[in-house]
């Protein structure tokens, strides 16, 4: 079976767009081919900065002939019905249709539609122009003289050539020469822009990939990443250093080069006085370079405190900076120290061994670090207009002798907007402050430390370091707080109140940090619910789902009992928390039916829900659990059926109407099990409560063997149904067993 090779070569595609674009190309082409009646054995996409490539193996050479019978109206139908049938079937005259008879429905028309198969080459040539013209780039451009014409080709960067070859492994391939805006598909491509600018004629994927390799192009992006990573590790090790690895940067850099060449540059050691996070981000953001550290040191990965814009927080920074990529943060283990060497990746194999490239990158790195050092020092100094900040300082109990306090006062004095409908940052801090004071009583955190942490939590938004690198919100606040002698819990809370930023991010541990983190996220959620800015579908511009998941994780992983309904006063928001809780518990392996069995609309203690689910999960697979489930389902299902029919159920069980031993024994067993279960639930010992209720299995079985519930005597029937209701109410204190599968 033949294979198809497709390459779309252009000017440099932005690195962040390449992986998705290659995936889109694969899906669009394969979907179009399958829809046209072709099949294939496998397809793989590739990408470099200058090309998107698709390798489709085992493509059928021709689509199958299709014969379709389309049933039409009766032969005596009106003229309009017949005309509609002819249009739909593609017939010119009713004489082209056949007449078939049905013993019940009479004679009716049938159109026999035959569609001959088409050659794969014809199909490819037909579908590709539309795919290219309508390619889903996030941003695209027009170029050249043709760009002034309506409907001219748009592409992410100017499209330069197209390769499209087709053929079997052992036969000569052919070119499928479709055309789009003057670019005709051929079998000619080009290698590295500088090292191999000559034309390359290709046949099929194997010689295409090997020819590009000889022309200084590594086609496979994963292989380019592997080359960069291992060469960078080796270069660092050879210089007595370790590479500070960064998966996001590695992905980006692999999209900037076709022939990766790893080099090492350096900067003056004086710049190492700058916090490592600033050095790392300065070098990464401005020069796309990796930093190194002495062997054996421990430096946390990217970004202790994430931008609120990236995770449901500060909107001021979100307005002015692109959202940074999110990733998990490791536990803080002490920063260690960076070295003054950095790793850069060039796209050319320089004749001088890369000296000029290293020199040029070093100049830029030094200039940027000089700026960063300036930010770092300025943030530790006094603001020039302290007299204008006294009102704000008094409002928040700030000490204007301290730099971070000054920045918070400035944030309030400037009336910086958090959200048009939710007021300023200063007003927001005031709300969080009041909420945190109440939460401290629940978490057991020191109220004074909580208050101090809250009033300083957003202060670093006015620092120059965070202005340059919004990703460092919280991290810089912690550093500046430590420099001015704040309590360690306060400094930690300033960084950790943004956490967790996602399912794999760490959760605050210090009670002060836990309290401030909860207050911050709850204020955000309550505020946006109040102005009806809730997530819709896949849209969640303020990351409210992430904020709610953060609350869920803090409550569950740190064992905090918080009545959410009393705190938020919003049943709809509580339902939103329930949804996030379900997602979280399912990710941990909990069965959805067990979650539904313990979750009621008014339950607002998420920790209690989680503990019930945990106990139920462990219990329901045990022998006692199976007994409890089997013994109560029959009773509750029969009761529900009778209630649906409107059968009278007594208000309570009358012992005088219990005639048979089996129903007397069941009544006694339910009373005893209910009392035992209630005592266990009061102690939050849910497993013991379930174990107590599981003892009902035997008396329930005897009851159904010996007792007819729907007795002819209405009073006895109502009394026996009341006995079944006792079972439902007793088990309902633990879970709604009717929702459990099995």
């Amino acid at each position: 079976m033949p294979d198809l090779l497709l390459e779309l070569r252009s000017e440099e595609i932005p690195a962040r767009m390449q992986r998705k674009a290659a995936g889109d190309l694969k899906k669009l082409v394969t979907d179009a081919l399958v829809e046209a009646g072709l099949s294939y054995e496998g397809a793989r996409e590739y990408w470099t900065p200058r090309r998107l490539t698709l390798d489709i193996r085992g493509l059928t050479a021709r689509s199958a002939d299709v014969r379709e019978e389309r049933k039409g109206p009766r032969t005596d139908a009106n003229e309009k019905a017949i005309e509609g049938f002819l249009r739909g079937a593609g017939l010119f005259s009713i004489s082209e249709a056949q007449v078939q008879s049905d013993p019940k429905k009479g004679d009716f028309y049938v159109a026999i539609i035959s569609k001959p198969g088409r050659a794969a080459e014809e199909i490819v040539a037909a579908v590709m122009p539309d795919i290219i013209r309508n390619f889903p780039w996030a941003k695209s451009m027009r170029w050249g003289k043709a760009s002034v014409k309506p409907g001219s080709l748009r592409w992410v960067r100017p499209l330069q050539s197209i390769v499209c070859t087709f053929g079997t492994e052992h036969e000569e391939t052919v070119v499928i020469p479709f055309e789009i805006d003057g670019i005709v598909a051929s079998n000619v491509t080009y290698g590295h822009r500088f090292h191999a600018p000559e034309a390359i004629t290709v046949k099929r994927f194997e010689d295409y990939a090997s020819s590009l390799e000889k022309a200084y192009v590594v086609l496979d992006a994963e292989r380019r990443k592997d080359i960069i990573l291992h060469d960078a590790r080796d270069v660092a090790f050879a210089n007595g250093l370790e590479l500070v690895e960064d998966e996001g940067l590695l992905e980006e850099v692999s999209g900037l080069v076709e022939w990766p060449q790893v080099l090492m540059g350096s900067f003056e050691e004086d710049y190492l006085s700058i916090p490592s996070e600033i050095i790392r981000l300065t070098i990464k953001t401005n020069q796309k370079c990796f930093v190194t550290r002495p062997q054996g040191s421990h430096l946390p990965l990217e970004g202790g405190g994430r931008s609120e814009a990236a995770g449901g927080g500060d909107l001021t920074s979100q307005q002015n900076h692109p959202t940074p990529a999110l990733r998990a943060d490791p536990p803080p283990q002490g920063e260690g120290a960076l070295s003054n060497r950095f790793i850069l990746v060039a796209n050319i194999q320089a004749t001088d061994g890369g000296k000029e490239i290293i020199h040029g990158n070093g100049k830029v790195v030094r200039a940027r670090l000089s700026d960063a050092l300036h930010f770092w020092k300025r943030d530790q100094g006094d603001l020039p207009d302290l007299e204008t900040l006294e009102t704000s300082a008094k409002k928040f109990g700030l000490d204007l002798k301290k730099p971070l306090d000054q920045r918070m006062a400035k944030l309030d004095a400037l009336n910086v907007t958090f959200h048009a409908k939710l007021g300023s940052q200063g007003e927001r801090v005031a709300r969080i402050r009041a909420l945190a004071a109440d939460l401290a009583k629940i978490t057991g955190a020191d109220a004074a430390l909580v208050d101090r942490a809250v009033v300083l939590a957003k202060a670093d938004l006015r620092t120059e370091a965070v202005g340059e690198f919004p990703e460092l919100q919280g991290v810089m606040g912690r550093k500046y707080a430590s420099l001015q002698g704040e309590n360690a819990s306060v400094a930690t809370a300033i960084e950790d109140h943004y956490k967790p930023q996602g399912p794999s991010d760490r959760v605050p541990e210090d009670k002060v940090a836990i309290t401030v983190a909860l207050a911050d996220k709850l204020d955000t959620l309550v505020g946006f619910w109040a102005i009806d800015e809730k997530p819709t579908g896949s849209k969640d511009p303020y990351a409210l789902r992430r904020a709610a998941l953060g609350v869920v994780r803090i409550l569950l992983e740190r064992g905090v009992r918080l009545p959410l309904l009393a705190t938020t006063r919003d049943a709809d928001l509580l339902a939103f928390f329930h949804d996030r809780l379900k997602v979280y518990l399912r990710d941990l392996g909990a069965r959805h039916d067990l979650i539904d069995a313990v979750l009621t609309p008014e339950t607002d203690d998420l920790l209690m829900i989680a503990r019930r689910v945990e106990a139920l999960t462990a219990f329901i697979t045990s022998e006692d659990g199976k007994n409890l489930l089997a013994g109560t389902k029959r009773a509750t299902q029969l009761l529900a059926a009778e209630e649906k029919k409107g059968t009278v159920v007594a208000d309570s069980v009358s012992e005088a109407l219990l005639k048979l031993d089996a129903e007397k024994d069941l009544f006694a067993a339910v009373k005893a099990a209910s009392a035992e279960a209630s005592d266990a639930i009061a102690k939050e010992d849910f497993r013991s409560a379930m174990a107590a209720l599981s003892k009902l299995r035997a008396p329930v079985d005897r009851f159904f063997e010996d007792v007819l519930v729907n007795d002819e005597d209405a009073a006895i029937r109502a009394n026996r149904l009341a006995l079944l209701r006792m079972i439902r109410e007793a088990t309902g204190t633990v879970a709604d067993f009717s929702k459990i599968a099995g």
Side-chain angles (χ1 to χ4, degrees):
M1 296 176 73
D3 302 329
L4 177 68
L5 169 63
L6 178 70
E7 180 202 67
L8 304 176
R9 188 179 63 88
S10 68
E11 294 291 339
E12 277 72 8
I13 305 167
R16 67 184 182 280
M17 297 184 181
Q18 293 167 18
R19 183 181 291 272
K20 180 181 183 301
D24 288 341
L25 180 64
K26 175 183 173 180
K27 185 177 190 309
L28 290 169
V29 174
T30 55
D31 284 357
L33 296 180
V34 169
E35 187 177 344
L38 300 178
S39 62
Y40 63 96
E41 293 176 356
R44 183 176 174 186
E45 71 275 28
Y46 298 87
W47 61 94
T48 79
R50 299 178 64 213
R51 66 199 81 224
L52 302 178
T53 300
L54 185 58
D55 174 28
I56 300 180
R57 301 294 177 94
L59 188 66
T60 47
R62 186 178 183 85
S63 62
D65 296 340
V66 176
R67 185 180 186 277
E68 175 189 352
E69 289 190 7
R70 184 172 297 179
K71 186 176 180 181
R74 286 167 51 99
T75 55
D76 57 359
N78 61 52
E79 189 174 334
K80 285 190 175 181
I82 292 176
E83 288 177 356
F85 165 63
L86 293 175
R87 284 195 303 272
L91 303 181
F92 294 102
S93 167
I94 197 65
S95 63
E96 297 179 65
Q98 297 182 7
V99 176
Q100 293 185 7
S101 297
D102 186 298
K104 296 181 180 179
K105 298 181 180 180
D107 294 344
F108 58 91
Y109 290 114
V110 173
I112 307 299
I113 304 172
S114 296
K115 295 181 180 179
R118 293 189 295 163
E121 297 98 309
E122 180 186 341
I123 293 172
V124 171
V127 302
M128 283 309 305
D130 281 344
I131 289 174
I132 294 173
R133 282 193 179 280
N134 300 301
F135 200 80
W137 293 109
K139 292 183 179 180
S140 57
M141 62 180 290
R142 292 194 295 263
W143 62 93
K145 293 181 179 179
S147 65
V148 299
K149 300 177 182 178
S152 62
L153 176 63
R154 299 182 66 93
W155 199 246
V156 63
R157 294 291 185 270
L159 188 62
Q160 296 177 326
S161 68
I162 301 172
V163 169
C164 190
T165 65
F166 183 72
T168 63
E169 183 178 355
H170 303 294
E171 296 178 354
E172 195 67 28
T173 57
V174 298
V175 173
I176 303 178
F178 62 87
E179 183 268 341
I180 180 166
D181 273 28
I183 303 173
V184 180
S186 69
N187 60 354
V188 176
T189 188
Y190 296 84
H192 192 283
R193 181 188 296 277
F194 305 112
H195 291 313
E198 301 82 11
I200 302 170
T201 302
V202 298
K203 295 180 179 180
R204 51 182 60 84
F205 181 79
E206 283 73 16
D207 75 285
Y208 165 79
S210 63
S211 295
L212 284 180
E213 188 86 16
K214 294 173 185 175
Y216 299 89
V217 175
V218 178
L219 181 64
D220 188 343
E222 295 303 321
R223 186 163 156 253
R224 291 198 305 275
K225 287 174 65 174
D226 190 62
I227 291 170
I228 294 168
L229 180 59
H230 285 86
D231 285 359
R233 286 174 176 169
D234 290 347
V235 169
F237 183 79
N239 286 272
L241 303 169
E242 292 179 0
L243 176 71
V244 177
E245 297 182 16
D246 185 325
E247 175 61 30
L249 180 58
L250 180 61
E251 173 80 9
E252 183 177 11
V253 170
S254 73
L256 297 175
V257 296
E258 289 192 318
W259 190 250
Q261 302 295 305
V262 173
L263 303 168
M264 175 174 279
S266 65
F267 54 86
E268 287 73 17
E269 291 188 355
D270 290 349
Y271 289 123
L272 293 177
S273 63
I274 305 170
S276 57
E277 293 90 346
I278 297 180
I279 295 175
R280 189 163 60 251
L281 276 174
T282 297
I283 293 176
K284 170 184 176 178
T285 304
N286 293 292
Q287 286 304 101
K288 312 303 178 190
C289 295
F290 298 85
V291 293
T292 63
R293 62 190 171 208
Q295 291 180 2
S297 64
H298 298 285
L299 184 73
L301 294 176
E302 181 82 31
R306 305 306 304 165
S307 166
E308 286 191 281
D314 181 67
L315 303 180
T316 308
S317 295
Q318 186 173 0
Q319 294 164 359
N320 300 316
H321 297 273
T323 301
L326 289 172
R327 59 188 305 236
D329 293 327
Q333 297 175 345
E335 292 182 0
L338 293 179
S339 80
N340 67 326
R341 303 288 187 90
F342 61 91
I343 299 289
L344 62 103
V345 183
N347 191 36
I348 60 173
Q349 193 168 310
T351 56
D352 65 353
K355 291 180 181 179
E356 283 300 315
I357 297 173
I358 293 169
H359 176 71
N361 277 267
K363 284 178 65 176
V364 178
V365 166
R366 292 182 190 93
R368 297 301 186 185
L369 288 177
S370 178
D371 291 342
L373 182 60
H374 174 72
F375 299 151
W376 171 241
K377 290 180 177 178
R378 281 282 297 270
D379 287 339
Q380 297 174 57
D382 289 339
L383 293 173
D385 51 353
L386 294 182
E387 66 280 358
T388 66
L389 306 180
E390 292 178 357
T391 301
S392 294
K394 186 175 181 181
K395 184 192 307 184
F396 291 101
L398 299 167
D399 182 354
L400 290 182
K401 295 178 183 178
K402 297 182 177 181
L404 198 58
D405 292 58
Q406 295 174 21
R407 272 67 185 175
M408 177 57 213
K410 187 70 172 181
L411 185 70
D412 179 66
L414 289 174
N415 206 32
V416 175
T417 300
F418 169 65
H419 185 280
K421 296 180 181 179
L422 294 174
S424 69
Q425 286 283 7
E427 291 169 330
R428 183 185 182 215
V429 170
R431 292 195 305 269
I432 297 173
R433 190 181 188 187
L435 179 55
D438 291 334
L439 292 176
K441 301 170 186 175
I442 296 172
T443 63
D446 184 294
L449 295 180
V450 167
D451 189 70
R452 181 63 175 161
V454 169
V455 298
L456 293 179
K458 307 298 180 185
D460 66 358
L461 297 178
R462 290 303 306 167
T463 62
E464 295 194 35
V466 172
E468 181 73 11
F469 300 112
E471 302 94 324
L472 294 181
Q473 289 177 40
V475 175
M476 298 313 301
R478 172 178 59 81
K479 289 183 178 297
Y480 294 137
S482 297
L483 284 173
Q484 68 179 36
E486 299 296 333
N487 182 282
S489 289
V490 171
T492 297
I494 292 172
E495 176 177 4
D496 285 3
H497 84 281
Y498 292 118
K499 296 184 174 297
Q501 291 291 341
S504 57
D505 191 12
R506 65 179 178 86
V507 174
E509 297 182 15
D510 185 279
K511 288 184 178 180
V512 175
I514 289 170
T515 307
V516 182
L518 285 172
D520 179 67
K521 292 169 177 59
L522 288 171
D523 174 77
T524 298
L525 289 160
V526 170
F528 282 105
W529 244 251
I531 62 174
D532 200 27
E533 289 278 3
K534 307 169 188 176
T536 56
S538 61
K539 295 182 178 179
D540 187 9
Y542 304 113
L544 301 181
R545 291 188 181 95
R546 186 173 297 137
L549 178 60
V551 172
V552 169
R553 288 192 59 204
I554 291 172
L555 297 181
L556 270 55
E557 295 179 32
R558 296 298 175 247
V560 179
R561 302 286 295 275
L562 177 64
L564 281 172
L565 194 56
T567 303
T568 63
R569 297 181 179 84
D570 192 316
D572 183 60
L573 179 53
L574 178 60
F576 185 69
F577 277 115
H578 285 174
D579 289 340
R580 295 301 95 197
L581 176 65
K582 289 179 181 179
V583 171
Y584 177 72
L585 293 177
R586 286 171 187 165
D587 286 345
L588 293 179
R591 282 167 40 183
H592 66 87
D593 58 329
L594 301 187
I595 300 171
D596 291 340
V598 303
L599 189 61
T600 62
E602 64 278 0
T603 309
D604 70 346
D605 185 341
L606 303 190
L607 181 60
M608 179 71 77
I609 295 170
R611 287 178 176 172
R612 283 176 181 259
V613 171
E614 181 184 13
L616 187 57
T617 299
F619 185 77
I620 206 66
T621 55
S622 67
E623 197 60 35
D624 281 347
K626 294 173 184 175
N627 287 342
L628 177 58
L629 184 61
T632 59
K633 270 207 165 185
R634 185 177 179 185
T636 55
Q637 288 170 352
L638 191 155
L639 174 62
E642 293 302 318
E643 288 175 330
K644 189 174 182 180
K645 291 189 290 185
T647 306
V648 175
V649 181
D651 293 335
S652 60
V653 175
S654 169
E655 290 191 67
L657 292 176
L658 299 175
K659 302 300 183 183
L660 303 176
D661 289 343
E663 58 184 330
K664 293 176 183 178
D665 292 344
L666 179 59
F667 178 62
V670 173
K671 287 200 300 181
S674 296
E676 189 177 344
S678 295
D679 289 343
I681 289 171
K683 300 172 185 175
E684 299 185 8
D685 184 356
F686 301 113
R687 295 196 186 193
S688 294
M690 294 173 196
L693 293 170
S694 69
K695 298 173 185 176
L696 294 176
R697 172 64 186 273
V700 166
D701 285 349
R702 285 196 302 274
F703 176 83
F704 283 115
E705 288 172 5
D706 299 350
V707 178
L708 177 64
V709 175
N710 287 320
D711 194 90
E712 294 180 358
D713 187 317
I716 292 176
R717 179 172 64 246
N719 198 58
R720 288 172 178 170
L721 289 172
L723 181 55
L724 298 186
R725 187 170 60 195
M726 280 185 69
I727 297 173
R728 184 174 67 186
E729 290 172 350
T731 57
T733 59
V734 171
D736 183 349
F737 283 81
S738 68
K739 295 182 178 179
I740 300 177

